[in-house]
Amino acid sequence: SQTIHQWPATLVQPVGSPLSLECTVEGTSNPNLYWYRQAAGRGLQLLFYSVGIGQISSEVPQNLSASRPQDRQFILSSKKLLLSDSGFYLCACRGGLAETQYFGPGTRLLVL
Amino acid sequence: GDSVTQMEGPVTLSEEAFLTINCTYTATGYPSLFWYVQYPGEGLQLLLKATKADDKGSNKGFEATYRKETTSFHLEKGSVQVSDSAVYFCALSDSGSARQLTFGSGTQLTVLP
């Protein structure tokens, strides 16, 4: 079965600083990968998804970007963080033709 | 577009009480339906799913039936435990190649001993 790793687990960053969150997946090949954000007390918002290396689809215009340099690696970045970027960031993986997305443990980001 | 409407929380129950969390959806085509659970400070875990009408998903005493006629996927458990305290999310997966998930807003459940 697939395992999803995310790091760091927690991050506190000042406004205007850059960001890099990493997600790696084990146990599956050529997965579909997703980044979600969960603001405090709210539901999940899909930010990006990727069906393959170098292929990124963005769901909402924002201060963030994503990249997929390797088959099982998905990176979320920002050049300059905003206060509104604070939240819980979740990476998810779906293998091949499977129906189900599985989630990583998440990264809690606080922008001050 | 697709949407999921979930029962507002928070919900507080005593141990061994019956649980229902309502979920209705709007979607084109034939979505798959899911319930995910999030324990404090953790990511989401798949609780159960159903991929076609009249399917019943079940896991850990929780059940939900895919009702196409009422576009619903209500979560039920006959006797809740303190360890069931968590946030529950209803979600649907579209039929496109990306299988994007659309989530409800989540329902916080607290079970008191």
Side-chain angles (χ1 to χ4, degrees):
Chain A
S1 63
Q2 53 214 332
T3 303
I4 303 165
H5 302 281
Q6 287 187 244
W7 64 87
T10 305
L11 191 59
V12 181
Q13 291 285 96
V15 168
S17 63
L19 174 73
S20 181
L21 303 182
E22 188 163 345
C23 170
T24 58
V25 178
E26 295 176 359
T28 185
S29 295
N30 196 29
N32 293 275
L33 298 174
Y34 307 81
W35 278 112
Y36 292 86
R37 177 170 59 202
Q38 184 179 25
R42 302 181 66 179
L44 283 83
Q45 179 186 37
L46 177 64
L47 301 176
F48 302 95
Y49 69 91
S50 171
V51 299
I53 296 174
Q55 300 179 63
I56 308 295
S57 296
S58 174
E59 289 301 299
V60 292
Q62 59 207 324
N63 185 42
L64 302 169
S65 62
S67 62
R68 186 168 175 178
Q70 300 180 47
D71 181 44
R72 287 173 284 181
Q73 184 185 30
F74 203 24
I75 297 172
L76 184 70
S77 303
S78 174
K79 292 182 179 177
K80 286 186 178 182
L81 283 169
L82 306 172
L83 286 174
S84 58
D85 292 324
S86 294
F88 192 43
Y89 288 82
L90 289 158
C91 178
C93 168
R94 182 177 63 81
L97 300 176
E99 288 280 353
T100 304
Q101 289 184 28
Y102 293 93
F103 286 78
T107 294
R108 194 164 302 281
L109 172 65
L110 179 61
V111 182
L112 301 175
Chain B
D2 297 347
S3 67
V4 176
T5 301
Q6 203 175 320
M7 175 175 161
E8 292 279 338
V11 174
T12 302
L13 296 173
S14 298
E15 205 165 25
E16 300 184 2
F18 184 84
L19 169 70
T20 300
I21 301 178
N22 289 339
C23 172
T24 57
Y25 67 90
T26 303
T28 54
Y30 303 96
S32 295
L33 301 174
F34 304 83
W35 277 100
Y36 284 87
V37 58
Q38 184 178 34
Y39 298 100
E42 298 184 11
L44 272 68
Q45 298 177 27
L46 177 68
L47 182 59
L48 54 84
K49 68 178 183 182
T51 58
K52 60 183 189 297
D54 300 325
D55 270 2
K56 177 187 283 188
S58 61
N59 185 25
K60 299 180 181 180
F62 291 89
E63 292 183 341
T65 301
Y66 189 149
R67 301 285 188 200
K68 189 165 181 284
E69 64 276 13
T70 54
T71 61
S72 65
F73 193 54
H74 305 321
L75 183 67
E76 297 182 336
K77 186 175 185 182
S79 176
V80 293
Q81 306 300 312
V82 172
S83 57
D84 294 327
S85 298
V87 181
Y88 292 81
F89 291 94
C90 184
L92 68 82
S93 171
D94 67 22
S95 53
S97 60
R99 293 279 199 272
Q100 295 182 45
L101 283 174
T102 300
F103 284 89
S105 55
T107 301
Q108 170 77 56
L109 169 67
T110 301
V111 180
L112 302 175

